[in-house]
Amino acid sequence: MRHLLLAGVAALGLAAPAVADPVLGSWQTEVDGGAYAHVEMRPCGAAVCGVVTRTFDAEGEYASETIGEMLVRGMVPQGGGRYEGRVWRPSNDRVYLGRMELSGDRLRLRGCVAGGLICASQTWARVR
């Protein structure tokens, strides 16, 4: 009887749906250096990472060398739609301390230097 009960509990645990992080999916960056990108936010261990999947400029979609590159790195959920990790800015090839904050279909990213004294931010829109 005990084995049957344990098997039932295990089956229920496997049948329960996984809770997806609400930040997962595709996001459009702001224009930076005349171009913008679509970034796919994916799980990477216990964190979230964002990979460039498409790039666009004033003439339309183009094949940038940044496609496939990880823009958002190791963003760990902090609760309340907030994340902390690192962000890479392709226009100057630098990695910054990063924060993200999710609000509906908007994702605000901040990259900071000097212990957070100097920051730049972008607000991304969810791609449907």
Side-chain angles (χ1 to χ4, degrees), residues 44 48-52 66-74 87-88 95:
C44 56
V48 174
C49 295
V51 175
V52 177
T66 61
I67 292 175
E69 294 290 335
M70 191 176 298
L71 210 79
V72 176
R73 301 172 179 195
V87 292
W88 172 58
V95 176

Side-chain angles (χ1 to χ4, degrees), residues 7-70:
V9 170
L12 284 174
L14 292 175
V19 177
D21 191 307
V23 80
L24 299 181
S26 190
W27 296 87
Q28 181 174 309
T29 69
E30 286 184 14
V31 175
D32 186 9
Y36 67 93
H38 285 181
V39 176
E40 185 71 24
M41 302 297 269
R42 305 171 178 164
C44 56
V48 174
C49 295
V51 175
V52 177
T53 57
R54 300 173 74 186
T55 52
F56 304 84
D57 62 14
E59 297 178 18
E61 188 167 2
Y62 72 101
S64 167
E65 65 278 356
T66 61
I67 292 175
E69 294 290 335
M70 191 176 298

Side-chain angles (χ1 to χ4, degrees), residues 1-16:
M1 181 63 130
R2 181 173 174 236
H3 294 290
L4 185 58
L5 181 60
L6 289 175
V9 170
L12 284 174
L14 292 175

Side-chain angles (χ1 to χ4, degrees), residues 87-107:
V87 292
W88 172 58
R89 185 173 182 198
S91 62
N92 65 3
D93 194 28
R94 297 192 75 152
V95 176
Y96 298 94
L97 292 175
R99 292 186 177 173
M100 297 189 313
E101 188 167 346
L102 179 64
S103 179
D105 284 341
R106 297 287 181 254
L107 184 62

